[in-house]
Amino acid sequence: MNITVDTGAQRLDAFLAGALADVSRSRVQKFIAGGRVSVNGRVAARKNLTLEAGDEVCVDDVSVRPVGEAVPAAQDIPLDVLYEDEFFAVINKPAGLVVHPGNGNADGTVVNALLYRFGSQVSSGSDVCRPGIVHRLDKDTSGALVVAKTDAAHTKLAELFSTRTIKKVYTGFCVGARPLEHEFIELPLARSHKNPTLRAVNMAHGTPAVTEYDLKVYRDGISLLQFILHTGRTHQIRVHCSHRGFPIIRDNLYGGSQDKILKIAPMERPFAYSVFKCFNRQALHALSLTFTHPFTGANMEISAPYPQDFIDAQEKMSGV
């Protein structure tokens, strides 16, 4: 379970004792001594480690949950299931649906839908509030999402993601500069100094991040790109595209707002705006997942159909 620190100058054990529900400070200290607590990806060696605002603390124990965060309840939320067997399922997550409960999203998430659809046939997850969740998509990113139905499957799938042996392909519409026909963007990423909830390119202290893309169509300031993720950093595609001068359409956090159209040549603006209007969310879709089934050895390639906003934008790009 991950918790982001809001206020700095806090001692690690005291912070967790206050942040976790029904967990004593002595129990927290046992977690730390046992190597089950990490800060910003590194195992915490000391219980008196001083935390700063924006630090991300991870507790490796499925029985804990944040204060005020209730155990998720089953809710009848429709799921578009692309594939299902006894081990896992792949769903086509719609834009606007949050993956798991968290700050500001107590329910109405993929997790609540999973509990209704699969009941007890869902893995324990990485913590008590995230049953079945192996990886995540941003709220406004649509597309293919794997969910585990058993704890054994959760472990195997998590290994595939951590070792980058699952091929993840995305597609997105960008606004601004014309991309190269093909490129590997290799720019390390770290938390933004201005806003710790965002990511930024940091050549000195960032974690390696590699995004490969192919330019499918370019027209009047709008690009249709297909991406392959060679690493899985938070907001990776969004930050890399923004840094290159062609942010994802409607990605207001990273420069893809409507204001970007004003920087396009006047004769190109009407078309760019017509594509921009197709979207009311960031124009990014998790198109497919390709991997070897961890239990049967079968070759799996599961694709998520385009939502209507992508279909509309593609028609405009092709002149239909």
Side-chain angles (χ1 to χ4, degrees):
M1 185 195 63
N2 296 308
I3 307 174
T4 300
V5 180
D6 294 327
T7 306
Q10 299 187 67
R11 179 171 156 145
L12 176 59
D13 58 353
F15 167 76
L16 284 177
L20 300 177
D22 303 319
V23 178
S24 66
R25 190 160 176 171
S26 61
R27 187 180 174 200
V28 164
Q29 291 172 350
K30 290 179 181 178
F31 287 162
I32 297 169
R36 289 153 62 189
V37 176
S38 61
V39 179
N40 299 329
R42 296 182 177 180
V43 174
R46 297 180 292 109
K47 62 186 178 183
N48 62 346
L49 178 70
T50 300
L51 301 175
E52 300 298 336
D55 284 345
E56 188 166 293
V57 181
C58 178
V59 182
D60 183 17
D61 191 288
V62 299
S63 67
V64 299
R65 58 187 174 87
V67 169
E69 187 168 313
V71 175
Q75 290 181 297
D76 186 4
I77 301 169
L79 285 178
D80 179 11
V81 179
L82 302 171
Y83 173 85
E84 180 184 357
D85 62 23
E86 62 186 293
F87 304 105
F88 60 86
V90 180
I91 67 170
N92 185 14
K93 187 189 85 68
L97 184 62
V98 176
V99 171
H100 57 74
N103 293 334
N105 298 286
D107 55 16
T109 71
V110 169
V111 163
N112 301 102
L114 292 177
L115 292 172
Y116 185 89
R117 174 67 180 261
F118 301 118
S120 60
Q121 291 185 321
V122 64
S123 75
S124 300
S126 57
D127 67 59
V128 70
C129 295
R130 301 180 187 180
I133 302 304
V134 181
H135 67 125
R136 289 176 285 179
L137 295 177
D138 293 335
K139 174 183 176 181
D140 288 327
T141 297
S142 56
L145 181 75
V146 179
V147 294
K149 296 177 70 176
T150 69
D151 288 349
H154 192 109
T155 298
K156 291 288 188 181
L157 290 166
E159 288 176 357
L160 292 181
F161 278 100
S162 66
T163 57
R164 312 300 177 201
T165 49
I166 288 185
K167 181 181 179 182
K168 297 182 287 184
V169 178
Y170 288 70
T171 189
F173 286 90
C174 299
V175 57
R178 178 171 184 153
L180 301 176
E181 294 296 320
H182 178 84
E183 184 181 12
F184 283 86
I185 304 176
E186 301 184 48
L187 295 169
L189 303 179
R191 290 183 181 276
S192 168
H193 294 302
K194 297 179 181 179
N195 184 340
T197 65
L198 304 183
R199 299 308 191 262
V201 171
N202 188 321
M203 301 303 293
H205 304 291
T207 303
V210 182
T211 303
E212 179 184 3
Y213 73 78
D214 286 294
L215 175 61
K216 296 301 182 181
V217 185
Y218 176 83
R219 180 181 172 189
D220 293 352
I222 301 296
S223 307
L224 173 59
L225 301 181
Q226 184 165 294
F227 305 93
I228 297 176
L229 287 181
H230 294 277
T231 54
R233 312 305 175 201
T234 300
H235 298 175
Q236 178 176 313
I237 292 175
R238 298 164 62 186
V239 178
H240 277 173
C241 287
S242 177
H243 193 81
R244 280 290 192 262
F246 42 89
I248 301 292
I249 282 178
R250 293 280 188 186
D251 187 353
N252 297 331
L253 292 179
Y254 295 105
S257 68
Q258 187 170 320
D259 292 343
K260 190 71 175 179
I261 294 177
L262 297 177
K263 300 179 181 180
I264 296 174
M267 71 286 293
E268 298 176 340
R269 288 176 192 166
F271 173 77
Y273 186 63
S274 72
V275 176
F276 201 93
K277 288 195 299 182
C278 293
F279 298 95
N280 59 12
R281 51 93 175 202
Q282 65 199 28
L284 190 61
H285 180 71
L287 182 62
S288 66
L289 295 166
T290 304
F291 56 98
T292 299
H293 195 297
F295 295 96
T296 69
N299 294 323
M300 310 294 296
E301 184 172 357
I302 304 168
S303 298
Y306 287 123
Q308 191 61 48
D309 50 6
F310 265 72
I311 294 171
D312 293 343
Q314 284 181 313
E315 290 179 349
K316 291 186 179 296
M317 293 289 281
S318 63
V320 175

